[in-house]
Amino acid sequence: MSASDNIQVPVPAVRSKPLIIRHLPYFIGAAVLVALAGSMGFDGYVLNILLQATTFSIAVFGLSVVLGLCGQINLAQATFFGFGAYAVGLGTADLHLSFWPCLVGGCMIALIAGAFLGMSTLRLGGHYLAMVTISFQQIVTLVMINAIWLTHGPDGVSNITRPELFQSSQSYLAFCVAVLAIVGYLVWHLPDTKLGRSMRAVRDNELAAGVNGIDVFRTKIYAFGICALLGGLAGGLFAGGFAYVSPDQFSFAESIGFLTMSLLGGVASPVGSVIGTGLLILIPEWLRFLKSVPGLYLAIYGLFVILIIRFMPDGIWGFVSDAFTRWRAHTKAPPVAAALQLKPATSGGDIVLKVTGLTKHFGGLKAVDGVDIAVKRGGVHALIGPNGSGKTTTLNVLSGLYKATAGKIVLDGTDITNMAPHQRTAAGLGRTFQNIRLFRSMTALENVEIGAERPGNTMIGKGEDALTERAMEALTFVGLGNRANELISSFSYGHQRLIEIARALAANPTLLLLDEPAAGLNSTEKLELHELLKRIAAQGLTILIIDHDMTLVSEAAQHITVLNFGRRIADGESMAVLRHPDVVSAYLGSE
Ligand code: ADP
Ligand code: MG
């Protein structure tokens, strides 16, 4: 594909209609549901089931945020549900407060407890996080049972009151459905906000999220906090609905119940939460007639859950929406993009990156050992060396994935030596990985949008449309604009590399680090890559590239630094370096 194919005539951006107008059908549908819930004249049994399904769904929304969006496990959602329920229960029954302040208080307690638990544990990953949330759950259950002076112990709290406005069960159900609709709307749109995109990036690939400017730890805490908050809200509503709460309603088994609802319906979406919750509450009711045969009911119930999870690993809604995404990728044409503009920031100096005495030891191994590199502004600088010579390690220390043992890194006049990866990205560093690290559950466009969202990117305007425009420009620049809406898994290896480059370019970095971009490409793809590098350099963006392909390196780079066993063995103008006897012997052996 030639450059002229990629660069299309700029067209005036089409602004989409305001959100509220686009989503009017949703609000009309929700209003109809609320009206139905308030007027259908259900009997007490049906009312109870609906009330339970509604409040539980809100708690399960929380799991769809923390687990579905952000990939963090929370096995204590019943605890947060309990905080909300006990706040409303004890507040209205014992302290005779009105319902509203108790509900808000319950939400706050849950939020604070969630954020606190998150802050103390989210640096741990996977299994450890699961263990800690289980312990937290057990401790809170013990307190609920044993702190009788506060919680009334196993007897539970009765005589819980509802707000004046919704005294009848029917009107209270309508109120809960309205809350469900509003919270569902917010959770549904969360993935398309900056925070939501950050969460998905963290779930898909924490390392890549960090070097694309995302504060991974903070994002996880937000997800955990939102999950806990929704648990608290749901619990408060539940307590108001049933007027009685007791510790067994908030046990570990209930947390597992919430998790099963979430996984069954589809953890990635609030629609899945509602489907899963509805099913897990309704199936036992449907199977009630089997209760005469002991065990049969549980066996059928279990079989049903296993079948769904076996054949729809992403849950019921995941199955449906995946089919829809694939269909849309082929039917919905991506918008036409203008030509990508790169305007690398500059403090005026001649040197963009100055690395002095950079050292990285892994135990006794000196992977990088006192390396100096000075990258001149506006050129292509290559870092080469035999396998294991410390090139990738150098890049990882530069981008902050490893902490330097010693040395100093100055990017365009700013000392970034001690910054976290996302701060270095904000300071203007962009990179790609030797082993491609894309956000695999997202489309190409969404991947590049995350790059474009870099804090401090001066090349995008405000709002979602500007973000999409910038991402489309970057994708078009690498020649993949027409496939923007496809999922990463449908791209070839070579194209995935191009998407990674587009993601870095969209951020308008000051310096672009490329780790073996030609590895695994066939000869046509290599030519395309070479041509792409030229077009990037032509816009004045400085590139530091690692590659094995000597043809590519000698043609593209003006300056070469050579590493061997972690030490710099040559540095200078390309042709001279490639003829340097030490370099020749490092590559070909001294014989
Ligand atoms: P290159 O990219 O030049 O092929 P690397 O930077 O990947 O080389 O590796 C340099 C040396 O550091 C190798 O000996 C490698 O085994 C070692 N190394 C790289 N990463 C780690 C790590 N995380 N822990 C321990 N040793 C590492
Ligand atoms: Mg390497």
Side-chain angles (χ1 to χ4, degrees), residues 10 63 74 99-100 155 159 167 171 197-198 206 223 229 239 250 300 405 427 439 471 484 538 550 578:
L63 290 177
N74 169 10
F99 176 85
W100 302 111
D155 291 346
N159 300 324
Q167 276 304 321
S171 63
R197 269 189 296 272
S198 303
E206 275 189 32
L229 174 72
F250 314 108
I300 293 187
T405 309
F439 306 119
M550 282 306 143
L578 290 176

Side-chain angles (χ1 to χ4, degrees), residues 323-397:
F324 178 72
T325 309
R326 281 177 206 287
W327 169 77
R328 201 181 68 152
H330 294 290
T331 53
K332 187 184 157 194
V336 179
L340 180 75
Q341 302 286 323
L342 295 172
K343 290 218 170 59
T346 170
S347 63
D350 192 25
I351 303 293
V352 175
L353 179 74
K354 186 149 183 60
V355 176
T356 29
L358 194 70
T359 302
K360 178 67 193 172
H361 294 174
F362 294 111
L365 176 78
K366 296 176 177 171
V368 179
D369 195 14
V371 168
D372 295 338
I373 306 172
V375 179
K376 283 213 190 77
R377 194 178 297 280
V380 177
H381 187 129
L383 184 63
I384 66 171
N387 257 330
S389 57
K391 307 181 298 293
T392 297
T393 305
T394 304
L395 232 58
N396 285 342
V397 178

Side-chain angles (χ1 to χ4, degrees), residues 343-485:
K343 290 218 170 59
T346 170
S347 63
D350 192 25
I351 303 293
V352 175
L353 179 74
K354 186 149 183 60
V355 176
T356 29
L358 194 70
T359 302
K360 178 67 193 172
H361 294 174
F362 294 111
L365 176 78
K366 296 176 177 171
V368 179
D369 195 14
V371 168
D372 295 338
I373 306 172
V375 179
K376 283 213 190 77
R377 194 178 297 280
V380 177
H381 187 129
L383 184 63
I384 66 171
N387 257 330
S389 57
K391 307 181 298 293
T392 297
T393 305
T394 304
L395 232 58
N396 285 342
V397 178
L398 289 182
S399 54
L401 298 180
Y402 296 153
K403 194 168 160 28
T405 309
K408 187 171 171 190
I409 308 163
V410 177
L411 175 69
D412 200 24
T414 310
D415 186 344
I416 61 168
T417 316
N418 295 312
M419 288 185 180
H422 68 275
Q423 294 168 325
R424 296 181 199 221
T425 309
L429 209 57
R431 80 166 281 182
T432 65
F433 291 89
Q434 182 173 349
N435 43 352
I436 301 169
R437 288 179 179 275
L438 286 166
F439 306 119
R440 307 205 72 84
S441 70
M442 302 185 201
T443 64
L445 183 65
E446 288 171 324
N447 266 273
V448 181
E449 280 177 348
I450 287 183
E453 216 157 16
R454 165 176 88 89
N457 184 357
T458 51
M459 293 304 289
I460 57 164
K462 280 254 167 286
E464 293 290 312
D465 292 328
L467 195 63
T468 308
E469 256 168 58
R470 175 76 185 173
M472 272 309 300
E473 289 166 12
L475 267 178
T476 308
F477 187 81
V478 303
L480 293 172
N482 54 346
R483 299 182 60 191
N485 288 326

Side-chain angles (χ1 to χ4, degrees), residues 176-365:
C176 290
V177 172
V179 175
L180 177 83
I182 294 167
V183 176
Y185 175 83
L186 295 176
V187 174
W188 172 264
H189 288 285
L190 183 59
D192 299 324
T193 63
K194 181 169 169 58
L195 179 62
R197 269 189 296 272
S198 303
M199 288 179 187
R200 292 153 74 201
V202 167
R203 174 197 60 197
D204 279 5
N205 200 315
E206 275 189 32
L207 274 188
V211 303
N212 279 286
I214 293 168
D215 186 335
V216 173
F217 183 55
R218 179 147 33 128
T219 304
K220 288 186 190 173
I221 292 179
Y222 282 155
F224 223 77
I226 292 175
C227 174
L229 174 72
L230 293 182
L233 175 64
L237 294 175
F238 175 85
F242 291 90
Y244 170 73
V245 296
S246 64
D248 55 312
Q249 292 164 327
F250 314 108
S251 65
F252 180 54
E254 296 302 317
S255 282
I256 297 297
F258 285 139
L259 188 67
T260 315
M261 291 169 182
S262 181
L263 294 174
L264 191 70
V267 69
S269 155
V271 183
S273 305
V274 174
I275 295 175
T277 308
L279 274 181
L280 275 209
I281 290 177
L282 283 176
I283 296 172
E285 304 298 328
W286 290 337
L287 297 179
R288 203 170 264 281
F289 69 97
L290 294 172
K291 285 239 160 111
S292 49
V293 189
L296 181 60
Y297 147 76
L298 269 182
I300 293 187
Y301 179 58
L303 183 70
F304 185 78
V305 172
I306 290 171
L307 282 181
I308 292 185
I309 299 217
R310 166 66 184 79
F311 290 105
M312 301 177 187
D314 295 325
I316 297 169
W317 181 250
F319 182 80
V320 175
S321 67
D322 224 42
F324 178 72
T325 309
R326 281 177 206 287
W327 169 77
R328 201 181 68 152
H330 294 290
T331 53
K332 187 184 157 194
V336 179
L340 180 75
Q341 302 286 323
L342 295 172
K343 290 218 170 59
T346 170
S347 63
D350 192 25
I351 303 293
V352 175
L353 179 74
K354 186 149 183 60
V355 176
T356 29
L358 194 70
T359 302
K360 178 67 193 172
H361 294 174
F362 294 111
L365 176 78

